Amino acid sequence: MKLCVALLAGDGIGPEVTAQAVAVLEAVCRSRSHQLEIASGLIGAAAIRAAGDPLPPETLTLAKSSGAVLLGAVGHPEFDALPPEKRPEKGLLRLRKELHVFANLRPAICFQALESFSPLRPEIVHGTNLLLVRELTGGLYYGTPRGISQENGEPRAVNTMAYSRSEIERIARMGFKLARGRKKRVVSVDKANVLENSQLWRETVTQLGAAEFPDVQLEHMLVDSCAMQIIQNPRRFDVVVTENLFGDILSDEAAVLTGSIGMLPSASLGEHTGLYEPVHGSAPDIAGKGIANPIGTILSAAMMLRHSFGLEQEAAAVEAAVTKVIDSGLRPKDLQGSASTEELGKAVLQAL
Ligand code: IPM
Ligand code: MG
């Protein structure tokens, strides 16, 4: 099989962690006789510096013409004072929109060997395996009208949370389908006691579940209560489906309870090209030091093999190799160890 992958390393630790994931992809493809073609493009602060645009047209063309995109991270403090429109993050937000990747899958799985690293007691976090399915191309992130204007002599800022029924249906359908391959339980998260938007969300998910997924158990939960229950009893969750901003917040919460956000991968799926990135950010404070944890990116590459290329065995082999490395006791700095980015990458290759 031929795999065409666009590599957008981005900012901060992005280049360091994606280098290790690329090495893993190369090894997998070599050993199973797949042909891997990787082409690099600029995104984020790196692209602003080089081309004055966080998502230059060439990068977008490259991404759209690839089978999948592997992304490191975007963001740099140098641009913190700029309005959202001009920041590195805008490149990522536009890329998501342009690729129509409306479903962001963020698994939060607690490795048994890492239970003691969770801020929660091991007996609470033990066995956690939840899949957060975040809507990624709608809601407050993209709704209009938006902006800051002057009104009655003072600035006034507006953002809009908008979802159509079809947007809700497609993300809910994704959640239900994924649940069918798991424990068949979906928790749909909203704020239906306050927001009309959430009322439509709840009604739509309920109808879709009854019509198309009667075999999947559906529960509705308010976002504030969900935030609490993820901490109180993470094991009770299987698939969590929610809108963009709620998902952004809950996925960081779910990530950290597994020990370190550095471990967690994500897949963003739509109609064509999938986008794969670790859940962590660009971490400018440790960039260039060679100590970033590459596991989140390596596991994102595994998700790419599974979801974009249908290579389930290869994906499972990478995941098994990562588990083996973790079980061996090798730890990066974010898990109180001293293994470098490269050492961890090499160990995964060895285990493969
Ligand atoms: C994430 C990040 C992004 C988001 C930022 C970098 C724009 O926090 O992927 O969760 O808010 O979606
Ligand atoms: Mg986030």
Side-chain angles (χ1 to χ4, degrees):
M1 174 169 193
K2 187 170 169 188
L3 288 68
C4 290
V5 176
L7 172 64
L8 311 183
D11 307 319
I13 59 172
E16 299 162 55
V17 292
T18 50
Q20 301 307 319
V22 165
V24 168
L25 282 175
E26 281 168 351
V28 169
C29 288
R30 206 179 311 119
S31 70
R32 319 240 168 175
S33 301
H34 301 302
Q35 199 185 333
L36 178 67
E37 220 166 72
I38 295 191
S40 301
L42 291 168
I43 194 165
I48 299 180
R49 287 192 208 102
D53 181 351
L55 183 68
E58 312 83 76
T59 300
L60 185 56
T61 308
L62 171 70
K64 281 186 168 171
S65 62
S66 304
V69 178
L70 181 66
L71 187 134
V74 298
H76 194 276
E78 181 188 332
F79 301 95
D80 275 357
L82 294 181
E85 208 44 48
K86 298 211 157 81
R87 293 171 62 110
E89 288 85 348
K90 194 70 192 182
L92 176 57
L93 297 176
R94 270 176 48 212
L95 182 65
R96 289 172 176 170
K97 192 75 174 175
E98 292 277 352
L99 292 178
H100 306 290
V101 285
F102 62 86
N104 182 220
L105 279 47
R106 297 190 165 181
I109 299 170
C110 190
F111 289 82
Q112 208 164 352
L114 299 183
E115 279 169 6
S116 62
F117 293 95
S118 173
L120 302 185
R121 289 197 304 276
E123 68 268 26
I124 293 183
V125 83
H126 174 79
T128 294
N129 182 345
L130 72 85
L131 175 62
L132 199 126
V133 181
R134 166 189 176 192
E135 201 292 327
L136 201 61
T137 52
L140 274 168
Y141 275 57
Y142 295 95
T144 51
R146 67 182 295 161
I148 304 178
S149 59
Q150 287 292 324
E151 244 171 73
N152 302 323
E154 61 173 349
R156 183 167 181 273
V158 174
N159 287 94
T160 301
M161 188 169 182
Y163 276 110
S164 63
R165 185 184 290 274
S166 57
E167 282 178 301
I168 302 168
E169 273 173 358
R170 67 180 182 179
I171 186 71
R173 191 171 284 119
M174 177 73 83
F176 280 121
K177 278 190 185 159
L178 289 162
R180 271 194 176 144
R182 299 169 50 100
K183 292 191 203 128
K184 294 196 179 175
R185 295 202 322 256
V186 167
V187 171
S188 172
V189 177
D190 61 41
K191 188 70 185 173
N193 54 345
V194 178
L195 305 174
E196 285 79 4
N197 198 273
S198 286
Q199 284 169 8
L200 179 64
W201 181 281
R202 190 172 281 214
E203 182 190 299
T204 305
V205 177
T206 303
Q207 285 171 2
L208 185 84
E212 294 181 24
F213 302 92
D215 54 318
V216 179
Q217 183 197 320
L218 170 64
E219 183 185 348
H220 299 282
M221 201 177 278
L222 297 172
V223 61
D224 48 353
S225 168
C226 181
M228 189 174 69
Q229 295 194 51
I230 283 179
I231 293 294
Q232 273 179 333
N233 185 9
R235 251 198 317 264
R236 90 188 282 292
F237 295 95
D238 180 24
V239 173
V240 177
V241 182
T242 192
E243 69 86 41
N244 203 344
L245 181 66
F246 297 162
D248 178 46
I249 298 167
L250 293 179
S251 63
D252 269 26
E253 187 192 14
V256 82
L257 62 83
T258 67
S260 170
I261 196 167
M263 299 293 297
L264 295 191
S266 84
S268 302
L269 309 179
E271 284 119 44
H272 305 289
T273 305
L275 170 65
Y276 300 84
E277 46 176 324
V279 171
H280 65 71
S282 58
D285 52 321
I286 59 162
K289 295 189 178 160
I291 56 169
N293 184 351
I295 303 281
T297 317
I298 291 172
L299 290 174
S300 300
M303 292 186 90
M304 171 192 288
L305 292 168
R306 173 174 298 124
H307 293 287
S308 280
F309 300 115
L311 299 174
E312 175 57 39
Q313 283 184 5
E314 287 80 344
V318 173
E319 288 163 351
V322 166
T323 304
K324 206 166 163 193
V325 170
I326 295 304
D327 287 346
S328 77
L330 199 68
R331 301 270 180 273
K333 192 114 194 285
D334 51 310
L335 290 167
Q336 291 161 31
S338 60
S340 69
T341 310
E342 217 179 290
E343 277 166 346
L344 278 155
K346 288 231 168 82
V348 173
L349 286 179
Q350 198 102 60
L352 258 178

